[in-house]
Amino acid sequence: GETFLVTAGPTREPFDPVRFITNHSSGKMGYAVAIMARRRGARVILISGPSSLPPPMDVQLVAVSSAREMRDAVMRHLDAATVVVKAAAVADYRPAVQARQKLKKKPGPMAIELERNPDIIAEIGANKNGRIIVGFAMETEDLLENARAKLETKNMDLIVANDLQEAGAGFQNETNVIRIIDREGSIESLPLMSKMEAANRILDRIKCLLMAKT
Ligand code: C5P
């Protein structure tokens, strides 16, 4: 009876018709959550930035490109969702100006001004409506302190932290090393495992939260 809204993949922030700023996210972690949640019987809406992964079976896939498109798609589907899992690596900034024509090279250096993108999960956290919200934190330093701070400020129920410096963790890999932090501050540290298995461990924790609510 649950409806999962899952976001996955990177966003692309264009500054002219042929170029954009993005990151190394593959979408694998979010797709794994979507696949496993569907296998457990949930209805799943997957809002995905550009990814080369095949669309999961029996999941409603909404393809987006920029952070603003992702925000609009999330807001459109939010009412239906009882659980939100935000695995997407949303670009924090976008180019302030998007040129209509391809930028020409000129002698000397060049700069692109950036402006802030909307923080999608913070917006959802501010208007929770009883929903369970799970975020991700990928860091290269001070992982746990940063993750705890994000859980608080963005009003999440769980945050899944992964450290880019750890072998087998992070972008592109089939595996991950995750820590799941809850609102009490307790940390579940899991060993290296496949992203599918990691998704199942996250879903086990979501299930506990759902059962505690009934
Ligand atoms: O970027 P940050 O480390 O703060 O991301 C933590 C969480 O916030 C992730 O779950 C990510 O999907 C979400 N996020 C978002 N909108 C942004 C930036 C991050 O929803 N603009």
Side-chain angles (χ1 to χ4, degrees), residues 5-9 31 45-49 59-64 69-78 88:
L5 181 57
V6 181
T7 71
Y31 277 56
I45 305 163
L46 174 61
I47 298 176
S48 177
V59 160
Q60 184 182 344
L61 180 67
V62 182
V64 296
E69 284 172 29
M70 183 171 280
R71 180 211 165 267
D72 291 348
V74 166
M75 294 310 158
R76 256 199 323 276
H77 291 92
L78 189 61

Side-chain angles (χ1 to χ4, degrees), residues 7 86-92 117-121 135-139 150 154 156:
T7 71
K86 286 227 77 248
V90 183
D92 291 321
N117 265 330
D119 192 316
I120 306 168
I121 202 165
F136 278 71
M138 171 173 284
E139 303 285 347
K150 278 177 198 171
K154 301 191 185 195
M156 305 174 191

Side-chain angles (χ1 to χ4, degrees), residues 192-203:
L192 180 77
M193 57 180 66
S194 72
K195 284 185 175 170
M196 291 291 180
E197 178 61 17
N200 266 324
R201 303 296 286 264
I202 296 165
L203 289 167

Side-chain angles (χ1 to χ4, degrees), residues 175-188:
T175 56
N176 210 350
V177 181
I178 60 169
R179 293 181 180 82
I180 306 176
I181 306 169
D182 64 19
R183 290 200 69 84
E184 278 77 55
S186 92
I187 302 168
E188 183 184 2

Side-chain angles (χ1 to χ4, degrees), residues 32-105:
V33 171
I35 290 166
M36 290 305 177
R38 179 67 202 111
R39 274 194 207 168
R40 289 178 182 218
R43 180 184 163 217
V44 179
I45 305 163
L46 174 61
I47 298 176
S48 177
S51 165
S52 57
L53 298 173
M57 240 195 329
D58 219 12
V59 160
Q60 184 182 344
L61 180 67
V62 182
V64 296
S65 182
S66 68
R68 284 189 293 183
E69 284 172 29
M70 183 171 280
R71 180 211 165 267
D72 291 348
V74 166
M75 294 310 158
R76 256 199 323 276
H77 291 92
L78 189 61
D79 275 352
T82 53
V83 180
V84 178
V85 181
K86 286 227 77 248
V90 183
D92 291 321
Y93 294 89
R94 65 171 176 268
V97 177
Q98 198 182 326
R100 252 193 262 278
Q101 308 297 335
K102 185 183 169 197
L103 295 178
K104 299 280 186 220
K105 57 179 153 315

